[in-house]
Amino acid sequence: MRYIPNTPDERSAMLRDIGVTSLEDLLDAIPHELRYNKSLNIADGKSEWEVRREMIAMANRNISAMDMPCFMGAGCYDHFIPAAVDTLASRSEFVTAYTPYQPEVAQGTLQVIYEFQSMICELFGMPAANASLYDGGTALSEAISMALAYTKRRRVLWSESVNPAYRRVAQTINLSQGIRFDTAPCKDGCQAAEEMAMLLGDDVAAVVLQYPNFFGIVDDLRLIIDRAHEVGALVIIVTDPIAMGILHSPGQLGADIVVGEGQSLGNYMSYGGPYLGLFACSMELIRLMPGRMVGVTKDVDGRRGFVLTLQTREQHIRRDKATSNICTNQGLVATRATFYLSLIGPKGLEGIGIACGRRTEYLKQKLKEVPGFTVPHKGPHFREFLVQVPGTAEEFFEFMTTKGLLPGVPLTRLGMSDERGMLVALTETRSREEMDAYVRFARDYAVEGKR
Amino acid sequence: MKRELQSLQKESALIFELSRTGRTGFQVPPTPDDFPKFSIPENFARKSLPRLPEVSENAVVRHYVNLSTRNHHIDRDFYPLGSCTMKYNPKVNDDMAALHGFSGLNPWQSGQMVQGAMQVMSELADALLEVTGMDSITLQPAAGAQGEFTALLMFRSYHQANGNPRKRIIIPDSAHGTNPASIILAGYSVTQLPSDANGLMDIEALKRSLDEDVAGLMITNPNTLGLFESNIAKIIDLVHDAGGLAYMDGANLNALMGISRPGDMGFDACHMNLHKTFSTPHGGGGPGSGPVAIKAKLEKYLPVPVLTSKGNAFVWDWDRPDSIGSVHTFYGNFGMHVRALTYIKSLGGDGLRAISDNAIINANYLRKKLSPTYQIFVDKPSMHEAVFSGNLQKAKGVRTTDIAKRLLDYGIHPPTVYFPLIVPECLMIEPTESESRETLDEFVEVMLQIDREASETPELLKNSPYTTPVRRLDEAGAARNLNIRYFDEVL
């Protein structure tokens, strides 16, 4: 047993020290009929070499974005990860540490989280950020819970251009609270302010918008934000941290709560998790903040130190009065995001934003020229745009993968009805050759594909 | 610039304080000149960049390597945190999760491109079902608390389908704080029952509390006092007779593998903490993973999508009209699933059983060695953790906090303190199976030494720690003068 140090002899000696003759004596409290008196039906343990071989065989059954240029997004992006992120994040001081409840021996973790919070506040233009939530969808659901608790209202209005996967999660988590969700339709891919305003009322707890929206469009949100505030609703903006080097922050737009997915900040796509829920809010809401927060303080000698703070909001103290049940969060993923943001800096973030935007514009223009392909929405598109393909998006996806490209996300995979719709994402890692190949294959598909 | 003598006990600069205009640790890949310009309308264009630090790559590396040395972590030393199960995290687990064939997958890829990933989840699911004795499972919850909540939503749907969602969930007073918080979020109220004199659930109190408003019971077994609920079958029968469902908080599953199974005890659902029992690292606060295993009667309420197979292929089944919905944007913390499966393959069924046996022996060994000096709360064999009270030391003028802080000076992370709430001056110690007898003996020595110090030099304890990167911190002050970000002004 390579993970168990004590040998059979040592075990016997320890049992003698305990004062029993066998392990059985220690299990007396478990009634006989509840004992599992056979071996677990799980294959025998294997050497590290054998386990590696089996796991690698399974990994090799997958086709990953390392094997094919990836144009897929819809909440998960193939951005470049500097080597230093992996090197630092694999240090066991960060990986194998516990939640920093004993601050004197957790200053490393605590200071990283303080830096993380500071960076998220900078990106989002907000005064308070927490130490992370599970992912974008659960961050949105916590934002909605916060708005319900603050306004004591029971209706939520969201735009159709908020990522449907996030909306599904938020709906699941809040439904048992008796919440009504109204969806504002979204013509031309934009979050139509007028249509949305018609659905507003003084029973609305929160208006939920996405910026840039699910279709990659940077909408003008000011009108709807003003209207929402006029009726006393909070404004929740779902945003993309990578866009924050080039766009006004949601805080500047007037958001009360800002949430987002932090996967793109130095974290792998990893088949959907672990990801990083980003969460920031106004100071007025801070007592309702879900999860952990780190604050600055001093030790008895007057040195600066960091501690978890405002813990009286949390479940281990407030129990059934807590604002959220979150306990374990995404500490190491937030740590990676902190390393990433430290490396890229403000200019890097701006540069990545521009690189994404220009590539998006390039592929969009080229695809518009391919017969049968249409781009239904007018820009500006940040990193993602919708293209309608001849035939179905699923068939096109299949065709493109045989050519060696992951061409985008068919909208039907998100439960949307547009069978021709494909959401295409461009990160700074897509080269001209890859984009030109995309266009060439699309042309082949339009011709050979007999659509 | 003046260089001072090296010491861990100096303030560490913030990354923002290292920032110098013009420095960077990153080069953006080039964009060809003939690509269209990306023009952002004036209305949206950011006027001033976020004040991220401007630091070179080598300075970033040095800064965070230095910060890392200010952490206690399991690869450095003992971490006997009760209920948190800080065991050794095998390195091969991390290696496997980092394989490009796993880490490079976009979650929206077609099923046929990710059969290997789905196989990982399927094999993990099968192993966890075997360990728990349940019928079906979801790997979606991202942490134990989310697992609790997911199960409660399924309870809700189940009762709703039977005509009435019911109103209350019963918990013992020793329950983890996440239990009552999850109950409220799921739209129920909390009924908390006192434990009996033996630290177990009080059956008479339970009987009095059961009626047709009770949706279910949530209980940790072995409980947070480290005791197996001997009457668990009877307790579950009572709950079932009243039409309720029974949920096991699996935080302490490390003590049960191959010994006793929640499904066989009669539970309808239980979660597992992969980051405890199955050795995926805590990462300074996460990621965790909290799969929920259930009995067949709850199957149709599982969160979507459900992993299933069609012919020889794995597929995601979204077409489940009775599902509660989704609790995660994708399929849960897949990277943790890879780690847990790697661990299970390394150990095998008998290895898992050996883990629990050794965890139990280690815990009882500490109970025996420490109980002459530290008051044991309930003097019965422990499962994988033993709960003490610092009452005897309190009489000498020191509190459990002081004992905990003094342990830091000896390089040992303190046990869980002041939980469960029902134990005064509580010290909850969980050694786990991955610690050797020498480590335990050393810990016992330190604990006895601290007790002597409490008698002879109590002030020494009250002012500890002395050797840590910072000394005792003003936690109340941090809440009073809230400073949670570097820049005062918001841009």
Side-chain angles (χ1 to χ4, degrees):
Chain A
M1 273 308 143
R2 58 191 186 273
Y3 309 142
I4 302 174
N6 290 330
T7 63
D9 285 351
E10 285 174 311
R11 280 172 48 150
S12 308
M14 289 169 83
L15 286 166
R16 272 197 305 278
D17 283 353
I18 294 166
V20 295
T21 48
S22 73
L23 175 73
E24 284 304 299
D25 297 341
L26 295 175
L27 301 179
D28 266 355
I30 309 177
H32 239 266
E33 60 278 14
L34 296 185
R35 298 285 286 279
Y36 193 68
N37 291 315
K38 42 190 173 174
S39 291
L40 287 169
N41 185 19
I42 293 173
D44 289 346
K46 296 182 180 71
S47 67
E48 180 170 338
W49 175 74
E50 291 169 297
V51 172
R52 274 179 185 274
R53 200 175 49 171
E54 282 189 22
M55 295 304 290
I56 289 170
M58 284 194 270
N60 288 345
R61 285 185 74 190
N62 300 318
I63 295 167
S64 88
M66 309 277 172
D67 309 314
M68 288 190 184
C70 178
F71 294 83
M72 302 182 77
C76 163
Y77 302 91
D78 180 29
H79 284 283
F80 177 70
I81 301 173
V85 173
D86 283 338
T87 303
L88 288 169
S90 61
R91 286 187 69 90
S92 61
E93 294 91 335
F94 292 123
V95 177
T96 75
Y98 182 64
T99 304
Y101 286 137
Q102 294 289 343
E104 295 86 353
V105 290
Q107 288 298 300
T109 291
L110 286 161
Q111 185 172 331
V112 168
I113 294 174
Y114 179 83
E115 293 179 357
F116 169 77
Q117 290 170 184
S118 302
M119 290 177 193
I120 299 305
C121 287
E122 279 298 301
L123 296 184
F124 291 172
M126 299 297 283
N130 70 11
S132 81
L133 299 173
Y134 308 130
D135 68 1
T138 53
L140 174 58
S141 71
E142 293 277 2
I144 289 171
S145 305
M146 180 188 248
L148 299 169
Y150 182 76
T151 60
K152 314 270 186 231
R153 297 177 180 182
R154 281 281 171 274
R155 189 153 77 90
V156 171
L157 176 59
W158 52 25
S159 163
E160 210 175 4
S161 65
V162 174
N163 189 330
Y166 295 172
R167 280 189 279 141
R168 188 176 60 238
V169 174
Q171 205 157 1
T172 302
I173 296 182
N174 286 288
L175 265 183
S176 52
Q177 301 288 342
I179 307 308
R180 190 174 132 201
F181 290 89
D182 289 325
T183 309
C186 169
K187 244 189 0 236
D188 309 323
C190 294
Q191 312 184 87
E194 290 300 340
E195 273 103 327
M196 210 160 181
M198 303 230 293
L199 293 166
L200 268 177
D202 59 10
D203 59 340
V204 172
V207 168
V208 184
L209 304 163
Q210 186 164 335
Y211 168 82
N213 76 24
F214 176 66
F215 301 107
I217 299 173
V218 185
D219 279 332
D220 194 342
L221 302 175
R222 286 168 303 180
L223 176 67
I224 186 65
I225 290 172
D226 287 346
R227 293 283 181 80
H229 282 152
E230 276 164 27
V231 300
L234 295 184
V235 172
I236 299 171
I237 294 187
V238 180
T239 195
D240 184 333
I242 290 284
M244 295 297 108
I246 52 175
L247 299 182
H248 266 325
S249 70
Q252 286 169 308
L253 294 178
D256 300 290
I257 309 171
V258 183
V259 297
E261 174 53 65
Q263 175 271 331
S264 48
L265 304 175
N267 291 289
Y268 292 98
M269 294 193 284
S270 195
Y271 201 47
Y275 282 7
L276 175 64
L278 304 174
F279 194 106
C281 66
S282 66
M283 286 310 278
E284 210 175 330
L285 297 168
I286 198 157
R287 300 274 158 186
L288 298 171
M289 178 73 96
R292 296 172 178 141
M293 264 183 292
V294 170
V296 177
T297 191
K298 296 232 177 274
D299 77 356
V300 288
D301 296 333
R303 272 186 301 258
R304 177 170 66 191
F306 301 86
V307 292
L308 291 176
T309 192
L310 296 186
Q311 285 190 73
T312 46
R313 302 163 296 115
E314 290 188 73
Q315 39 71 30
H316 60 277
I317 295 183
R318 288 268 281 175
R319 296 175 76 83
D320 56 336
K321 307 270 187 323
T323 55
S324 159
N325 72 336
I326 188 168
C327 180
T328 299
N329 59 317
Q330 299 291 107
L332 191 64
V333 190
T335 298
R336 290 184 66 99
T338 312
F339 300 159
Y340 177 81
L341 289 168
S342 299
L343 286 165
I344 64 168
K347 290 285 179 199
L349 187 67
E350 183 186 38
I352 292 167
I354 292 170
C356 293
R358 291 185 67 188
R359 282 164 172 75
T360 306
E361 208 54 37
Y362 179 79
L363 184 61
K364 194 169 81 177
Q365 299 305 342
K366 295 278 178 184
L367 273 184
K368 274 184 180 169
E369 295 161 12
V370 179
F373 283 72
T374 48
V375 175
H377 302 153
K378 289 197 189 71
H381 289 91
F382 163 59
R383 175 185 48 193
E384 220 156 357
F385 67 95
L386 180 67
V387 61
Q388 276 163 340
V389 305
T392 68
E394 284 293 351
E395 287 163 338
F396 180 58
F397 187 94
E398 181 82 13
F399 175 84
M400 292 296 267
T401 53
T402 61
K403 300 287 181 186
L405 289 175
L406 294 167
V409 180
L411 290 185
T412 47
R413 293 189 185 175
L414 285 104
M416 296 166 95
S417 57
D418 181 0
E419 290 204 332
R420 289 183 56 204
M422 173 83 91
L423 200 60
V424 182
L426 281 301
T427 69
E428 78 285 0
T429 62
R430 292 289 71 80
S431 68
R432 179 206 290 271
E433 291 70 30
E434 290 166 354
M435 288 184 266
D436 288 346
Y438 192 116
V439 177
R440 208 166 53 243
F441 296 140
R443 216 175 273 281
D444 291 348
Y445 173 77
V447 180
E448 289 167 31
K450 299 177 277 298
R451 317 283 145 182
Chain B
M1 213 177 287
K2 188 171 67 129
R3 193 170 257 258
E4 290 172 18
L5 289 172
Q6 278 288 314
S7 163
L8 266 184
Q9 286 188 347
K10 62 177 182 185
E11 280 185 8
S12 171
L14 286 155
I15 189 83
F16 297 97
E17 293 163 347
L18 304 175
S19 183
R20 300 289 179 273
T21 307
R23 287 182 185 166
T24 184
F26 183 74
Q27 199 174 343
V28 182
T31 302
D33 288 342
D34 60 333
F35 275 28
K37 289 275 173 263
F38 177 53
S39 54
I40 312 153
E42 192 56 19
N43 283 346
F44 312 121
R46 189 137 185 161
K47 301 292 182 289
S48 54
L49 285 175
R51 291 162 293 187
L52 295 174
E54 297 182 67
V55 194
S56 68
E57 178 179 323
N58 39 350
V60 169
V61 169
R62 197 170 282 169
H63 173 69
Y64 289 112
V65 166
N66 277 314
L67 276 192
S68 76
T69 64
R70 296 162 78 86
N71 266 1
H72 187 94
H73 54 110
I74 190 68
D75 286 359
R76 181 180 177 209
D77 217 323
F78 194 33
Y79 236 126
L81 271 166
S83 266
C84 301
T85 312
M86 288 295 287
K87 59 165 77 174
Y88 170 70
N89 308 131
K91 301 308 160 197
V92 62
N93 300 359
D94 296 330
D95 266 16
M96 295 301 97
L99 290 171
H100 287 169
F102 293 134
S103 68
L105 301 180
N106 183 291
W108 297 117
Q109 279 178 244
S110 323
Q112 71 266 23
M113 306 179 88
V114 295
Q115 286 294 303
M118 292 164 99
Q119 187 184 348
V120 166
M121 298 171 94
S122 171
E123 288 194 16
L124 176 63
D126 288 346
L128 298 179
L129 288 175
E130 174 66 9
V131 169
T132 53
M134 293 283 183
D135 300 323
S136 202
I137 193 167
T138 174
L139 304 181
Q140 209 175 93
Q146 224 201 2
E148 294 167 16
F149 174 73
T150 303
L152 288 169
L153 284 192
M154 293 169 72
F155 282 15
R156 196 177 179 84
S157 294
Y158 171 87
H159 288 305
Q160 192 101 54
N162 291 329
N164 177 7
R166 299 183 167 221
K167 299 193 177 81
R168 303 189 283 128
I169 300 278
I170 296 174
I171 58 170
D173 54 3
S174 59
H176 295 115
T178 49
N179 290 178
S182 299
I183 290 167
I184 295 296
L185 283 182
Y188 288 112
S189 67
V190 178
T191 303
Q192 189 169 299
L193 299 185
S195 303
D196 70 12
N198 296 317
L200 301 177
M201 173 151 267
D202 184 333
I203 293 208
E204 292 310 313
L206 174 66
K207 280 183 188 158
R208 284 193 298 275
S209 188
L210 286 168
D211 59 29
E212 64 272 19
D213 281 341
V214 170
L217 166 80
M218 282 183 102
I219 189 167
T220 307
N221 193 28
N223 68 24
T224 53
L225 294 170
L227 305 170
F228 191 91
E229 293 279 351
S230 325
N231 293 317
I232 195 66
K234 171 90 179 146
I235 289 169
I236 294 173
D237 279 347
L238 287 168
V239 172
H240 282 163
D241 288 346
L245 296 167
Y247 177 83
M248 190 179 105
D249 178 326
N252 293 340
L253 194 70
N254 206 41
L256 290 185
M257 291 186 290
I259 295 175
S260 184
R261 310 194 305 173
D264 301 337
M265 295 173 208
F267 284 106
D268 301 293
C270 79
H271 83 259
M272 285 139 277
N273 299 89
L274 299 188
H275 52 290
K276 298 180 183 179
T277 313
F278 298 97
S279 83
T280 71
H282 273 62
S289 180
V292 174
I294 51 157
K295 288 281 175 65
K297 63 180 151 191
L298 294 172
E299 196 168 343
K300 57 181 174 173
Y301 310 113
L302 282 169
V304 281
V306 173
L307 183 62
T308 171
S309 56
K310 205 170 177 179
N312 293 327
F314 295 107
V315 290
W316 286 116
D317 181 8
W318 287 91
D319 184 20
R320 304 186 55 100
D322 295 312
S323 164
I324 58 166
S326 300
V327 295
H328 191 270
T329 309
F330 298 107
Y331 321 106
N333 286 345
F334 174 70
M336 302 297 115
H337 304 157
V338 175
R339 286 175 173 86
L341 181 64
T342 305
Y343 181 70
I344 290 170
K345 280 181 181 292
S346 301
L347 287 160
D350 291 343
L352 292 177
R353 165 75 203 232
I355 290 294
S356 290
D357 289 352
N358 282 277
I360 293 168
I361 292 172
N362 278 359
N364 283 286
Y365 185 75
L366 284 184
R367 180 177 59 86
K368 180 73 179 182
K369 296 277 178 179
L370 286 174
S371 54
T373 314
Y374 291 86
Q375 193 179 50
I376 189 90
F377 189 66
V378 178
D379 195 11
K380 284 199 174 149
S382 310
M383 293 302 284
H384 70 321
E385 60 198 6
V387 177
F388 299 87
S389 161
N391 270 343
L392 300 176
Q393 287 68 31
K394 193 180 179 188
K396 302 175 184 181
V398 303
R399 301 205 52 202
T400 286
T401 303
D402 306 318
I403 298 169
K405 296 303 179 195
R406 185 60 178 154
L407 273 167
L408 298 174
D409 282 331
Y410 290 98
I412 294 172
H413 196 281
T416 299
V417 291
Y418 299 104
F419 181 81
L421 307 172
I422 54 174
V423 180
E425 297 297 318
C426 186
L427 283 154
M428 183 196 212
I429 302 177
E430 178 181 9
T432 82
E433 73 284 353
S434 60
E435 298 300 333
S436 67
R437 181 165 60 157
E438 292 94 312
T439 304
L440 304 186
D441 286 340
E442 205 179 20
F443 174 65
V444 169
E445 261 320 300
V446 169
M447 288 296 283
L448 301 187
Q449 171 69 20
I450 289 175
D451 175 64
R452 282 193 295 276
E453 291 173 354
S455 306
E456 292 157 13
T457 51
E459 289 306 310
L460 183 72
L461 266 64
K462 284 195 233 173
N463 294 317
S464 61
Y466 302 90
T467 59
T468 45
V470 290
R471 295 193 49 218
R472 212 176 281 204
L473 289 156
D474 181 6
E475 300 194 33
R480 224 173 18 249
N481 306 306
L482 199 63
N483 172 353
I484 53 171
R485 65 172 197 278
Y486 178 67
F487 294 103
D488 293 335
E489 309 279 304
V490 179
L491 277 190

